[in-house]
Structure formats: C-alpha cells, structure tokens
Amino acid sequence: MINNVLVAGGAGYIGSHTVKCLIEKGYKVVVLDNLITGHVKSLDGEVKYYYGDIADRGEVINIVKSEKIEAVIHFAASSIVHDSIQHPDYYFTENVAKTNRFLASLLMGGVDKIVFSSTAAVYGTPEFIPVEEKAVAKPVNPYGVSKLMIEQMLDWMQLSYGMRYIVLRYFNAAGAMLDGSLGEDHLDETHLIPLILKTALGQREAMKIFGTDYQTADGTCIRDYVHVLDLAEAHIAALEGLDQGFKREVYNVGTGSGFSVRQVMEQAKRITNINFLVEESSRRAGDPDVLVAKVDKIQRDLGWTPRNSQLETIIQSAWEWHRKHPLGYRGDFDAGK
Ligand code: UFG
C-alpha cells in the first residue's frame, strides 16, 4: 500500500487542501514547493516541507530517496490563463520543461506512480456538453496547451518507461476548508468566487459580469464548480487507483451540473447578506459559454463522488475563509499568527 507521498506544489490552493486530507487519511506527506505562488503558512505542522523547485534534479532525487517516496501528486504549475497568453514562453518553461525534468528525476529515483493536475482548459471550447474525457482536446490558451503537453508526455513515460499515471482534469475549483482555516489566496486573483467575496468585504468597488450575451438562459457563462475538498478526495482516490494497478487514465473532476455567473452572484448575496455592486461588462476573451463535466468515468472507476460541491457549501466555506483572513496568508503573517 502507498504510504509515503511527495506533493509537488503542496503549498498552493488545491495542494494545501489535499495535503491536509492526506494527513487525515494517515499518509506520510512530504511537500516540495518553490513558493512562487504557494504559501508556507498553508502547510500543516505535521508535513515535512522542502523549499525547492521541481526542476532541481539533485534535490528531487535526494527527497525521493531519503523520504522513500512511493508516489507523487504533481500540482506545481503556473495557472493563470490571461498571464499565459501574455507570457507563453514562461508557461512552457514553468509547466512543460520543468515537469519534463521532474518526471525524469522521479524515474531516476525509482518513483513510478504519479497523479497529475490537469484542467478543463485542455478542451478549449468544447463541442458537446457535458464534456467527456474522449472529447477533442483543443486548448485555446498556452496554459491549456501546457497541461495537454504534459498529459501527452506522461503517456509516453508510461509507454516507454512504465510510469503509471492518473490525470485529473479539474473544472472550476472553488471553496475552502469548511472551518475557513485554509483557502484560496492568489496575488493576482482572477477567479469569480474569490473576487465576489473580496467585493463583499469592501476590498473592491464592484463585481463585473464578463458578458451577458452568451447562449445560456440568463446570458452569462455557466461553469461546473467543484469544491476543493472534493478535488482533494479525487487525488486520494487516484492514488488508491494507482495502488490497485491503474496505469494510464484521464478523469474529469467536476459535478456534472453548472451555474451561471448571475446565479453564483445571487447565491453569494444570500450567503453574505451583502448587496454588493454588480456591473455588466463586455466578454472576457476565450471564455466558452458553458463548461460542464461528464463525471461518470471517475465515479465508475474510482468510486469518487462530490460530497461538498453544493454551490451553497462552496460559497459558504469560501466566505468563512475570506472573512477570517481578509488579507489571505499575508494577513496571518502580519498579525504574527
Ligand atoms: N467572471 C466574471 N467576472 C469576474 C471574474 C469571472 O464574470 O470578475 C466570469 C468569467 O467570465 C467566467 C466565470 O466567471 O465565465 C468563471 O470565471 P473564473 O475565472 O472563475 O474561471 P474560468 O472558468 O475562467 O477558469 C477555470 C479555471 C482555469 C481553467 C479554466 C478552463 O480556473 O484554471 O476554467 O476554461 F483554465
């Protein structure tokens, strides 16, 4: 049975929640994070933490050997879509080139099981909804391309070297630890729910709806929001799958239902009891009308099903986090906690 797990990017948003769940399940967890976007404050005291980069071959091999790592969960990446359009070269270096080195180091260190964070962005603008894993992958931004390239890289690592992998394609990750102790803290926040809650807290003047003329019932984009704790559980289910002999699988991780931008805003107003200002604005480039996952495959193969992904739970938990940590992890640090 897998016991010793290396989590690359374990100080990030989804990584830190997964680390917490792994520890609760009794895994021995080691984190490697370069803190470019992660927060050391998000790490549990029980975690062995290495400050470093996935591209540092010597360090990766050292960790793998000294910690007797049996499997890896790989979250480490740059993941801002508009940033990737402005700096594609950076994304290909940070995500693709560094992961290439990382995988080679893992193989040299004798690790042959990996769970990889991919994204619905690999589908681009899908033709059919809900999107199945076998839909054409045609990303429309460098971030999505970088994740798809890594998926392909993993497949060749499997075919040529026997590395076993499970790719998880997340839809819209959202929410926080239910008690608000961990949450989402990006320097350059672009995501809908955290921006709404920052607006409710008075940190921003108004929320903008990016486009009201989409082909949806209320004209705003529909997304499949999945709670970060359910995502964490999906990684643990994937580890168990690898343990049972899964070799090369790709799974969507979503709920199978979607909510419009307006619906999310209405629900956030109810939960916060704050009537924040909403302005209608023009479309943001590259946003598909509707993005909803077909999730039968992960339910069937790994027995995973979302437990915390009701829109209410997502927003309520994120609100707990934002209210308790209005400045994110930086605020905790300033307060000397
Ligand atoms: N939106 C607004 N106003 C805002 C912010 C967002 O109306 O201030 C809208 C967006 O236009 C979109 C929806 O809210 O329709 C959700 O936007 P997010 O930025 O929260 O999430 P995305 O769907 O754009 O992004 C997600 C993941 C990405 C992934 C992408 C795939 O966060 O990592 O899906 O399309 F690449």
Side-chain angles (χ1 to χ4, degrees), residues 43-126:
L43 289 174
D44 197 288
E46 284 178 55
V47 175
K48 180 112 180 241
Y49 165 62
Y50 288 83
Y51 169 72
D53 202 284
I54 57 168
D56 183 341
R57 179 158 293 166
E59 181 71 331
V60 171
I61 294 176
N62 165 45
I63 295 170
V64 160
K65 293 215 160 138
S66 61
E67 303 290 349
K68 301 188 171 49
I69 297 300
E70 294 153 299
V72 170
I73 305 182
H74 176 21
F75 293 101
S78 294
S79 62
I80 301 170
V81 171
H82 74 88
D83 190 32
S84 79
I85 296 169
Q86 279 160 357
H87 307 288
D89 46 339
Y90 182 76
Y91 276 70
F92 292 125
T93 303
E94 285 299 304
N95 295 355
V96 184
K98 285 191 172 181
T99 295
N100 188 29
R101 275 184 79 82
F102 185 48
L103 296 179
S105 308
L106 294 177
L107 284 166
M108 282 180 203
V111 179
D112 65 350
K113 297 180 203 66
I114 184 164
V115 180
F116 175 63
S117 295
S118 189
T119 168
V122 299
Y123 296 116
T125 306

Coordinates of all heavy atoms in Angstrom, one line a residue, residues 43-126:
L43 N 0.7 25.3 5.2 CA 1.1 23.9 5.5 C 0.9 23.5 6.9 O 1.2 24.2 7.9 CB 2.6 23.7 5.1 CG 2.9 23.7 3.6 CD1 4.4 23.7 3.4 CD2 2.2 22.6 2.9
D44 N 0.4 22.3 7.1 CA 0.2 21.6 8.4 C 1.6 21.4 9.1 O 2.5 21.1 8.4 CB -0.5 20.3 8.1 CG -1.1 19.7 9.3 OD1 -0.4 19.3 10.2 OD2 -2.4 19.8 9.4
G45 N 1.6 21.5 10.4 CA 2.8 21.3 11.1 C 3.4 19.9 11.0 O 4.6 19.7 11.1
E46 N 2.5 18.9 10.6 CA 3.0 17.5 10.5 C 3.7 17.2 9.2 O 4.2 16.2 9.0 CB 1.8 16.6 10.6 CG 1.2 16.4 12.0 CD 0.0 15.5 12.0 OE1 0.1 14.4 11.4 OE2 -1.1 15.9 12.4
V47 N 3.7 18.2 8.3 CA 4.2 18.0 7.0 C 5.7 18.2 6.9 O 6.2 19.3 7.5 CB 3.5 18.9 6.0 CG1 4.1 18.7 4.6 CG2 2.1 18.6 5.9
K48 N 6.5 17.4 6.3 CA 7.9 17.7 6.1 C 7.9 18.5 4.8 O 7.4 18.1 3.7 CB 8.6 16.3 5.9 CG 10.1 16.5 5.6 CD 10.9 16.0 6.8 CE 12.3 16.1 6.6 NZ 13.0 14.8 6.6
Y49 N 8.5 19.7 4.9 CA 8.5 20.6 3.8 C 9.9 20.9 3.3 O 10.8 21.2 4.0 CB 7.8 21.9 4.3 CG 8.1 23.1 3.3 CD1 7.6 23.0 2.0 CD2 8.8 24.2 3.7 CE1 7.8 24.1 1.1 CE2 9.0 25.3 2.9 CZ 8.5 25.2 1.6 OH 8.8 26.2 0.7
Y50 N 10.0 20.8 1.9 CA 11.3 21.2 1.3 C 11.0 22.4 0.4 O 10.1 22.4 -0.5 CB 11.8 20.0 0.4 CG 12.3 18.8 1.1 CD1 11.5 17.9 1.6 CD2 13.7 18.7 1.3 CE1 12.0 16.7 2.2 CE2 14.2 17.6 2.0 CZ 13.3 16.6 2.4 OH 13.8 15.5 3.1
Y51 N 11.8 23.4 0.6 CA 11.7 24.6 -0.2 C 12.6 24.3 -1.5 O 13.8 24.1 -1.3 CB 12.2 25.8 0.5 CG 12.4 27.0 -0.4 CD1 11.3 27.7 -0.9 CD2 13.7 27.5 -0.8 CE1 11.5 28.8 -1.7 CE2 13.9 28.5 -1.6 CZ 12.8 29.2 -2.1 OH 12.9 30.3 -2.9
G52 N 12.0 24.3 -2.6 CA 12.8 24.0 -3.8 C 11.9 23.8 -5.0 O 10.7 24.0 -5.0
D53 N 12.6 23.5 -6.1 CA 11.9 23.6 -7.4 C 11.9 22.1 -8.0 O 12.8 21.4 -7.8 CB 12.7 24.5 -8.4 CG 11.9 25.0 -9.5 OD1 11.6 24.2 -10.4 OD2 11.5 26.1 -9.5
I54 N 10.8 21.8 -8.7 CA 10.6 20.5 -9.3 C 11.7 20.2 -10.4 O 12.0 19.1 -10.7 CB 9.3 20.3 -9.9 CG1 8.9 21.3 -11.0 CG2 8.2 20.2 -8.9 CD1 7.7 21.0 -11.9
A55 N 12.3 21.3 -10.9 CA 13.4 21.2 -11.9 C 14.7 20.9 -11.3 O 15.7 20.6 -12.1 CB 13.4 22.4 -12.8
D56 N 14.9 20.9 -10.0 CA 16.2 20.7 -9.4 C 16.4 19.2 -9.2 O 15.9 18.6 -8.2 CB 16.1 21.4 -8.0 CG 17.5 21.3 -7.3 OD1 18.3 20.4 -7.6 OD2 17.7 22.1 -6.3
R57 N 17.1 18.6 -10.2 CA 17.2 17.2 -10.2 C 17.8 16.6 -9.0 O 17.3 15.6 -8.4 CB 18.0 16.8 -11.5 CG 18.2 15.3 -11.6 CD 18.6 14.9 -13.0 NE 17.4 15.2 -13.9 CZ 17.5 15.2 -15.2 NH1 18.6 15.0 -15.8 NH2 16.4 15.4 -15.9
G58 N 18.9 17.2 -8.5 CA 19.6 16.7 -7.3 C 18.7 16.7 -6.1 O 18.6 15.7 -5.4
E59 N 17.9 17.7 -5.9 CA 17.0 17.8 -4.8 C 15.9 16.8 -4.9 O 15.6 16.2 -3.9 CB 16.5 19.3 -4.7 CG 15.6 19.5 -3.5 CD 16.3 19.5 -2.1 OE1 17.3 18.9 -2.0 OE2 15.8 20.2 -1.2
V60 N 15.3 16.7 -6.1 CA 14.2 15.8 -6.2 C 14.7 14.3 -5.9 O 14.0 13.6 -5.2 CB 13.6 15.9 -7.6 CG1 12.6 14.8 -7.9 CG2 12.9 17.2 -7.8
I61 N 15.8 14.0 -6.5 CA 16.3 12.6 -6.3 C 16.6 12.4 -4.8 O 16.3 11.4 -4.2 CB 17.5 12.3 -7.2 CG1 17.0 12.3 -8.6 CG2 18.1 10.9 -6.8 CD1 18.1 12.1 -9.7
N62 N 17.2 13.4 -4.2 CA 17.5 13.3 -2.7 C 16.2 13.1 -1.9 O 16.2 12.2 -1.1 CB 18.2 14.6 -2.3 CG 18.3 14.8 -0.8 OD1 18.6 13.8 -0.1 ND2 17.9 16.0 -0.4
I63 N 15.2 13.9 -2.2 CA 13.9 13.8 -1.5 C 13.3 12.4 -1.7 O 12.9 11.7 -0.7 CB 12.9 14.8 -1.9 CG1 13.4 16.2 -1.6 CG2 11.5 14.6 -1.3 CD1 12.6 17.4 -2.2
V64 N 13.3 12.0 -2.9 CA 12.6 10.7 -3.2 C 13.3 9.5 -2.5 O 12.7 8.7 -1.9 CB 12.7 10.5 -4.8 CG1 12.5 9.0 -5.1 CG2 11.6 11.4 -5.4
K65 N 14.7 9.6 -2.5 CA 15.4 8.5 -1.8 C 15.3 8.6 -0.3 O 15.0 7.6 0.4 CB 16.9 8.5 -2.3 CG 17.0 8.2 -3.8 CD 18.2 7.4 -4.1 CE 18.0 6.7 -5.5 NZ 19.2 6.7 -6.3
S66 N 15.6 9.8 0.2 CA 15.7 9.9 1.7 C 14.3 9.8 2.3 O 14.2 9.3 3.4 CB 16.4 11.2 2.1 OG 15.6 12.3 1.6
E67 N 13.3 10.1 1.6 CA 11.9 10.0 2.2 C 11.2 8.7 1.8 O 10.0 8.6 2.1 CB 11.1 11.2 1.8 CG 11.7 12.6 2.2 CD 11.6 12.8 3.7 OE1 11.0 12.1 4.5 OE2 12.3 13.8 4.2
K68 N 11.9 7.9 1.0 CA 11.3 6.7 0.5 C 10.0 6.9 -0.2 O 9.0 6.2 0.1 CB 11.2 5.6 1.6 CG 12.5 5.3 2.3 CD 12.3 4.2 3.3 CE 13.6 3.6 3.8 NZ 14.6 4.6 4.3
I69 N 9.9 7.8 -1.1 CA 8.7 8.2 -1.8 C 8.2 7.1 -2.7 O 9.0 6.5 -3.5 CB 8.9 9.5 -2.6 CG1 9.3 10.7 -1.7 CG2 7.7 9.9 -3.4 CD1 8.3 11.1 -0.6
E70 N 6.9 6.8 -2.6 CA 6.3 5.7 -3.4 C 5.4 6.3 -4.5 O 5.1 5.6 -5.5 CB 5.5 4.8 -2.5 CG 6.3 4.1 -1.5 CD 5.5 3.7 -0.2 OE1 5.1 4.6 0.5 OE2 5.4 2.5 0.0
A71 N 4.9 7.5 -4.3 CA 4.0 8.1 -5.3 C 4.1 9.6 -5.2 O 4.4 10.1 -4.1 CB 2.6 7.6 -5.1
V72 N 3.7 10.3 -6.3 CA 3.8 11.7 -6.3 C 2.5 12.3 -6.8 O 1.8 11.7 -7.6 CB 4.9 12.2 -7.3 CG1 4.9 13.7 -7.6 CG2 6.3 11.8 -6.8
I73 N 2.1 13.4 -6.2 CA 0.9 14.2 -6.7 C 1.6 15.5 -7.1 O 2.2 16.2 -6.4 CB -0.1 14.4 -5.6 CG1 -0.6 13.1 -5.0 CG2 -1.3 15.2 -6.2 CD1 -1.7 13.2 -4.0
H74 N 1.3 15.8 -8.4 CA 2.0 17.0 -9.0 C 1.1 18.1 -9.3 O 0.4 18.1 -10.3 CB 2.7 16.5 -10.3 CG 3.4 17.6 -11.1 ND1 3.8 18.8 -10.5 CD2 3.8 17.6 -12.4 CE1 4.4 19.5 -11.5 NE2 4.4 18.8 -12.6
F75 N 1.1 19.1 -8.4 CA 0.3 20.3 -8.6 C 1.1 21.5 -9.1 O 0.5 22.5 -9.5 CB -0.3 20.8 -7.2 CG -1.3 19.9 -6.6 CD1 -0.9 19.1 -5.5 CD2 -2.6 19.9 -7.0 CE1 -1.8 18.2 -4.9 CE2 -3.5 19.1 -6.4 CZ -3.1 18.3 -5.3
A76 N 2.4 21.4 -9.0 CA 3.3 22.6 -9.2 C 3.1 23.1 -10.6 O 3.5 22.4 -11.6 CB 4.7 22.2 -8.9
A77 N 2.6 24.4 -10.7 CA 2.4 24.9 -12.1 C 2.1 26.4 -11.9 O 1.7 26.9 -10.9 CB 1.3 24.2 -12.8
S78 N 2.2 27.1 -13.1 CA 1.7 28.4 -13.2 C 0.3 28.2 -13.9 O 0.2 27.5 -14.8 CB 2.6 29.3 -14.1 OG 3.8 29.5 -13.4
S79 N -0.7 29.0 -13.4 CA -2.1 28.6 -13.9 C -3.0 29.7 -14.1 O -4.2 29.6 -14.0 CB -2.7 27.6 -12.8 OG -2.8 28.3 -11.6
I80 N -2.5 30.9 -14.5 CA -3.4 32.0 -14.8 C -3.5 32.1 -16.4 O -2.5 32.4 -17.1 CB -2.8 33.3 -14.2 CG1 -2.8 33.1 -12.7 CG2 -3.8 34.5 -14.5 CD1 -2.1 34.2 -11.9
V81 N -4.7 31.9 -16.8 CA -4.9 31.9 -18.2 C -4.5 33.1 -19.0 O -3.7 33.1 -19.9 CB -6.4 31.6 -18.5 CG1 -6.7 31.7 -20.0 CG2 -6.8 30.2 -18.0
H82 N -4.9 34.3 -18.5 CA -4.5 35.5 -19.3 C -3.0 35.8 -19.2 O -2.4 36.3 -20.2 CB -5.4 36.7 -18.8 CG -5.0 37.3 -17.5 ND1 -4.0 38.3 -17.3 CD2 -5.4 37.0 -16.2 CE1 -3.8 38.5 -16.0 NE2 -4.7 37.8 -15.4
D83 N -2.4 35.4 -18.1 CA -1.0 35.6 -18.0 C -0.3 34.7 -19.0 O 0.8 35.0 -19.6 CB -0.6 35.1 -16.5 CG 0.8 35.4 -16.1 OD1 1.3 36.4 -16.6 OD2 1.3 34.6 -15.3
S84 N -0.8 33.5 -19.2 CA -0.2 32.6 -20.2 C -0.3 33.1 -21.6 O 0.6 32.8 -22.4 CB -0.9 31.2 -20.1 OG -2.1 31.1 -20.8
I85 N -1.3 33.9 -21.9 CA -1.4 34.5 -23.2 C -0.3 35.6 -23.4 O 0.3 35.7 -24.4 CB -2.8 35.0 -23.5 CG1 -3.8 33.8 -23.4 CG2 -2.9 35.7 -24.8 CD1 -5.3 34.2 -23.4
Q86 N -0.1 36.3 -22.3 CA 0.9 37.4 -22.4 C 2.4 36.8 -22.3 O 3.3 37.4 -22.9 CB 0.8 38.3 -21.2 CG -0.3 39.3 -21.5 CD -0.9 40.0 -20.2 OE1 -0.4 39.6 -19.1 NE2 -1.8 40.9 -20.4
H87 N 2.5 35.7 -21.6 CA 3.9 35.1 -21.5 C 3.9 33.6 -21.8 O 4.2 32.8 -20.9 CB 4.4 35.3 -20.0 CG 4.3 36.8 -19.6 ND1 5.1 37.8 -20.1 CD2 3.4 37.4 -18.7 CE1 4.8 38.9 -19.5 NE2 3.7 38.7 -18.7
P88 N 3.6 33.2 -23.0 CA 3.6 31.8 -23.3 C 4.9 31.1 -23.0 O 4.9 29.9 -22.5 CB 3.2 31.7 -24.8 CG 3.4 33.1 -25.3 CD 3.3 34.0 -24.2
D89 N 6.0 31.8 -23.3 CA 7.3 31.1 -23.1 C 7.5 30.7 -21.6 O 8.0 29.7 -21.3 CB 8.5 32.0 -23.6 CG 8.3 33.5 -23.1 OD1 7.2 33.9 -22.7 OD2 9.3 34.2 -23.0
Y90 N 7.1 31.6 -20.7 CA 7.2 31.3 -19.3 C 6.4 30.1 -18.9 O 6.9 29.2 -18.2 CB 6.7 32.6 -18.5 CG 6.8 32.4 -17.0 CD1 8.0 32.6 -16.4 CD2 5.6 32.1 -16.3 CE1 8.1 32.4 -15.0 CE2 5.7 32.0 -14.9 CZ 7.0 32.2 -14.3 OH 7.1 32.0 -12.9
Y91 N 5.2 30.0 -19.5 CA 4.4 28.8 -19.2 C 5.0 27.5 -19.7 O 4.9 26.5 -19.1 CB 2.9 29.0 -19.7 CG 2.1 29.8 -18.6 CD1 2.4 31.1 -18.4 CD2 1.2 29.2 -17.8 CE1 1.8 31.8 -17.4 CE2 0.6 29.9 -16.8 CZ 0.9 31.2 -16.6 OH 0.3 31.9 -15.5
F92 N 5.6 27.6 -20.9 CA 6.2 26.4 -21.4 C 7.4 26.0 -20.6 O 7.7 24.8 -20.5 CB 6.4 26.5 -22.9 CG 5.2 26.6 -23.7 CD1 4.9 27.7 -24.6 CD2 4.2 25.7 -23.6 CE1 3.7 27.8 -25.3 CE2 3.0 25.7 -24.3 CZ 2.7 26.8 -25.1
T93 N 8.1 27.0 -20.1 CA 9.2 26.6 -19.2 C 8.7 26.1 -17.9 O 9.1 25.0 -17.4 CB 10.1 27.9 -19.0 OG1 10.5 28.4 -20.2 CG2 11.3 27.5 -18.1
E94 N 7.9 26.9 -17.2 CA 7.5 26.6 -15.8 C 6.7 25.2 -15.8 O 6.9 24.4 -14.9 CB 6.6 27.7 -15.3 CG 7.3 28.9 -14.9 CD 8.4 28.6 -13.8 OE1 8.0 28.1 -12.7 OE2 9.5 28.9 -14.0
N95 N 5.8 25.1 -16.7 CA 5.0 23.9 -16.7 C 5.6 22.7 -17.4 O 5.7 21.6 -16.9 CB 3.6 24.2 -17.2 CG 2.8 25.2 -16.3 OD1 3.4 25.6 -15.2 ND2 1.7 25.6 -16.7
V96 N 5.9 22.9 -18.7 CA 6.3 21.8 -19.5 C 7.7 21.4 -19.3 O 8.0 20.2 -18.9 CB 6.0 22.1 -21.0 CG1 6.3 20.9 -21.9 CG2 4.6 22.5 -21.3
A97 N 8.6 22.3 -19.5 CA 10.1 22.0 -19.4 C 10.4 21.5 -18.0 O 11.1 20.5 -17.8 CB 10.9 23.2 -19.8
K98 N 9.9 22.2 -17.0 CA 10.2 21.8 -15.6 C 9.6 20.4 -15.3 O 10.2 19.6 -14.6 CB 9.7 22.8 -14.6 CG 10.6 24.1 -14.6 CD 10.3 25.0 -13.4 CE 11.3 26.1 -13.3 NZ 11.0 27.0 -12.2
T99 N 8.4 20.2 -15.8 CA 7.8 18.8 -15.5 C 8.6 17.7 -16.2 O 8.7 16.6 -15.7 CB 6.3 18.8 -15.9 OG1 5.6 19.8 -15.1 CG2 5.7 17.5 -15.7
N100 N 9.1 18.0 -17.4 CA 9.9 17.1 -18.1 C 11.1 16.6 -17.2 O 11.4 15.4 -17.0 CB 10.3 17.6 -19.4 CG 11.0 16.6 -20.3 OD1 10.7 15.4 -20.2 ND2 11.9 17.1 -21.1
R101 N 11.8 17.6 -16.6 CA 12.9 17.3 -15.8 C 12.5 16.6 -14.5 O 13.1 15.6 -14.1 CB 13.6 18.6 -15.3 CG 14.6 19.1 -16.3 CD 15.3 20.4 -15.7 NE 16.3 20.0 -14.7 CZ 17.6 19.7 -15.0 NH1 17.9 19.6 -16.3 NH2 18.5 19.4 -14.1
F102 N 11.3 17.0 -14.0 CA 10.8 16.4 -12.8 C 10.5 14.9 -13.0 O 10.9 14.1 -12.2 CB 9.5 17.2 -12.4 CG 8.9 16.8 -11.1 CD1 9.7 16.6 -9.9 CD2 7.5 16.5 -11.0 CE1 9.1 16.3 -8.7 CE2 6.9 16.2 -9.7 CZ 7.7 16.1 -8.6
L103 N 9.8 14.6 -14.1 CA 9.5 13.2 -14.4 C 10.8 12.4 -14.5 O 10.8 11.2 -14.0 CB 8.6 13.1 -15.6 CG 7.2 13.8 -15.5 CD1 6.5 13.6 -16.9 CD2 6.4 13.2 -14.4
A104 N 11.7 12.9 -15.2 CA 13.0 12.2 -15.4 C 13.6 11.9 -14.0 O 14.1 10.8 -13.7 CB 13.9 12.9 -16.3
S105 N 13.6 12.9 -13.2 CA 14.2 12.8 -11.8 C 13.5 11.7 -11.0 O 14.1 10.9 -10.3 CB 14.2 14.1 -11.1 OG 14.8 15.1 -11.8
L106 N 12.1 11.7 -11.1 CA 11.3 10.7 -10.4 C 11.7 9.3 -10.9 O 11.9 8.4 -10.0 CB 9.9 11.0 -10.6 CG 9.3 12.3 -10.0 CD1 7.8 12.5 -10.3 CD2 9.5 12.3 -8.5
L107 N 11.8 9.2 -12.2 CA 12.1 7.8 -12.7 C 13.5 7.4 -12.2 O 13.7 6.3 -11.8 CB 12.1 7.8 -14.2 CG 10.6 7.8 -14.8 CD1 10.7 8.2 -16.3 CD2 10.0 6.4 -14.6
M108 N 14.5 8.4 -12.2 CA 15.8 8.0 -11.8 C 15.8 7.6 -10.3 O 16.6 6.8 -9.9 CB 16.7 9.2 -11.9 CG 17.2 9.5 -13.3 SD 18.3 10.9 -13.3 CE 18.2 11.4 -15.0
G109 N 14.9 8.3 -9.5 CA 14.8 7.9 -8.1 C 14.0 6.7 -7.8 O 13.8 6.3 -6.7
G110 N 13.4 6.1 -8.9 CA 12.6 4.9 -8.7 C 11.1 5.1 -8.5 O 10.5 4.1 -8.1
V111 N 10.6 6.3 -8.7 CA 9.2 6.5 -8.4 C 8.4 6.3 -9.8 O 8.8 6.9 -10.8 CB 8.9 7.9 -8.0 CG1 7.4 8.1 -7.8 CG2 9.6 8.2 -6.7
D112 N 7.4 5.5 -9.7 CA 6.7 5.2 -11.0 C 5.2 5.4 -10.9 O 4.4 4.8 -11.7 CB 7.0 3.7 -11.4 CG 6.4 2.7 -10.5 OD1 6.0 3.1 -9.4 OD2 6.4 1.5 -10.8
K113 N 4.7 6.2 -9.9 CA 3.3 6.5 -9.8 C 3.1 7.9 -9.6 O 3.7 8.5 -8.7 CB 2.7 5.7 -8.6 CG 2.8 4.2 -8.8 CD 2.1 3.5 -7.5 CE 2.6 2.1 -7.4 NZ 4.1 2.1 -7.0
I114 N 2.2 8.5 -10.4 CA 2.0 10.0 -10.3 C 0.6 10.3 -10.6 O -0.1 9.8 -11.5 CB 3.0 10.7 -11.3 CG1 2.8 12.2 -11.1 CG2 2.8 10.3 -12.7 CD1 4.0 13.0 -11.7
V115 N 0.0 11.3 -9.8 CA -1.3 11.9 -10.1 C -1.0 13.3 -10.5 O -0.3 14.0 -9.9 CB -2.1 11.9 -8.8 CG1 -3.5 12.5 -9.1 CG2 -2.3 10.5 -8.2
F116 N -1.6 13.6 -11.7 CA -1.2 14.9 -12.3 C -2.4 15.9 -12.4 O -3.5 15.5 -12.8 CB -0.6 14.7 -13.7 CG -0.4 16.0 -14.4 CD1 0.5 17.0 -13.9 CD2 -1.1 16.4 -15.5 CE1 0.8 18.2 -14.5 CE2 -0.8 17.6 -16.2 CZ 0.1 18.5 -15.6
S117 N -2.2 17.1 -12.0 CA -3.3 18.2 -12.0 C -3.4 18.7 -13.4 O -2.6 19.5 -13.9 CB -2.8 19.4 -11.3 OG -2.7 19.2 -9.9
S118 N -4.5 18.3 -14.1 CA -4.7 19.0 -15.4 C -6.0 19.8 -15.3 O -6.5 20.1 -14.2 CB -4.8 17.9 -16.5 OG -4.9 18.5 -17.8
T119 N -6.6 20.2 -16.4 CA -7.6 21.2 -16.3 C -8.6 21.1 -17.5 O -8.2 20.5 -18.6 CB -6.9 22.6 -16.5 OG1 -8.0 23.6 -16.7 CG2 -6.0 22.7 -17.6
A120 N -9.8 21.6 -17.2 CA -10.8 21.6 -18.3 C -10.3 22.5 -19.5 O -10.9 22.4 -20.6 CB -12.1 22.1 -17.8
A121 N -9.3 23.3 -19.2 CA -8.8 24.2 -20.2 C -8.2 23.4 -21.4 O -8.1 24.0 -22.5 CB -7.8 25.2 -19.7
V122 N -8.0 22.1 -21.2 CA -7.4 21.3 -22.3 C -8.5 21.2 -23.4 O -8.2 20.9 -24.6 CB -6.9 19.9 -21.9 CG1 -5.7 20.0 -21.0 CG2 -8.0 19.0 -21.4
Y123 N -9.8 21.3 -23.1 CA -10.9 21.1 -24.0 C -11.1 22.4 -24.9 O -11.8 22.3 -25.9 CB -12.2 20.8 -23.3 CG -12.2 19.4 -22.6 CD1 -12.3 19.4 -21.2 CD2 -12.0 18.2 -23.3 CE1 -12.3 18.2 -20.5 CE2 -12.0 17.0 -22.6 CZ -12.1 17.0 -21.2 OH -12.1 15.8 -20.6
G124 N -10.6 23.5 -24.5 CA -10.9 24.7 -25.2 C -12.3 25.1 -25.2 O -12.9 25.2 -24.1
T125 N -12.9 25.2 -26.4 CA -14.4 25.5 -26.4 C -15.0 24.2 -26.9 O -15.0 23.9 -28.1 CB -14.6 26.6 -27.5 OG1 -13.9 27.7 -27.1 CG2 -16.1 27.0 -27.5
P126 N -15.5 23.4 -26.0 CA -16.0 22.0 -26.4 C -17.2 22.1 -27.2 O -18.1 23.0 -27.1 CB -16.3 21.4 -25.0 CG -16.3 22.4 -24.0 CD -15.6 23.6 -24.5

